[in-house]
Amino acid sequence: MASIERVPQVPPMIAPIPEAVPRPLWSVMIPVYNSLPYLEQTIRSILAQDPGEDLMQIEVVDDISKDGDVAALVERVGKGRVKFYQQPVNVGNVRNFETCINRARGHYVHLLHGDDYVEPGYYAAIQQLFEDFPEAGAACTDWHYVTD
């Protein structure tokens, strides 16, 4: 088997989205590796704000986690609303993020790590920022460190 270049020496290629592909407003892409204890809260925080499949793609992209059955958790919590993709081999976090971006179809792409979650109103607030400032290419937010 050929080795995987885990840290790219050149910027990764992000493929354009074909015109015929339906594009929701949001793609919430969740890269995971061994974050099973947190993933349920991550998914529930998104689903609590879900405007529907026409407006939001939600997908977990697993880099061959070893801490449990990620697909089963996604199915149980996401009930078919959250898609699941597993890398064929462990590719490392940079390549897993790249996969997330290449699988995203939305106009806005949110990479939400599998051990993080969003507060209520997050997507509405960010959407409003992009409407108020259409020249913006990205948005960054504050964060809070949460302990058990």
Side-chain angles (χ1 to χ4, degrees):
M1 173 193 273
S3 67
I4 301 289
E5 183 188 33
R6 295 175 68 85
V7 177
Q9 299 302 307
V10 296
M13 295 297 299
I14 305 302
I17 298 170
E19 287 188 32
V21 171
R23 296 198 61 196
L25 184 62
W26 286 98
S27 284
V28 183
M29 308 303 291
I30 309 165
V32 299
Y33 179 75
N34 292 345
S35 54
L36 197 65
Y38 310 100
L39 186 56
E40 182 169 344
Q41 181 179 15
T42 302
I43 293 170
R44 288 190 188 283
S45 76
I46 299 162
L47 291 174
Q49 303 177 57
D50 180 14
E53 202 163 348
D54 289 346
L55 293 175
M56 184 178 279
Q57 170 192 11
I58 307 169
E59 185 169 330
V60 171
V61 179
D62 180 34
D63 195 19
I64 312 288
S65 293
K66 298 178 184 333
D67 63 346
D69 191 341
V70 177
L73 184 140
V74 170
E75 181 57 36
R76 178 177 57 80
V77 177
K79 297 181 172 79
R81 173 63 182 95
V82 179
K83 304 299 181 220
F84 176 76
Y85 175 81
Q86 187 174 59
Q87 297 284 7
V89 297
N90 179 272
V91 296
N93 62 344
V94 173
R95 291 290 184 196
N96 205 38
F97 299 166
E98 177 185 352
T99 299
C100 285
I101 294 168
N102 272 309
R103 293 182 63 80
R105 299 184 328 269
H107 293 279
Y108 306 144
V109 178
H110 183 200
L111 287 180
L112 180 63
H113 300 195
D115 60 354
D116 295 334
Y117 65 91
V118 289
E119 294 283 342
Y122 174 85
Y123 293 104
I126 297 299
Q127 182 177 334
Q128 188 62 56
L129 283 171
F130 280 126
E131 289 172 8
D132 291 348
F133 301 96
E135 68 279 7
C140 298
T141 63
D142 196 6
W143 58 274
H144 304 281
Y145 183 78
V146 179
T147 61
D148 293 337

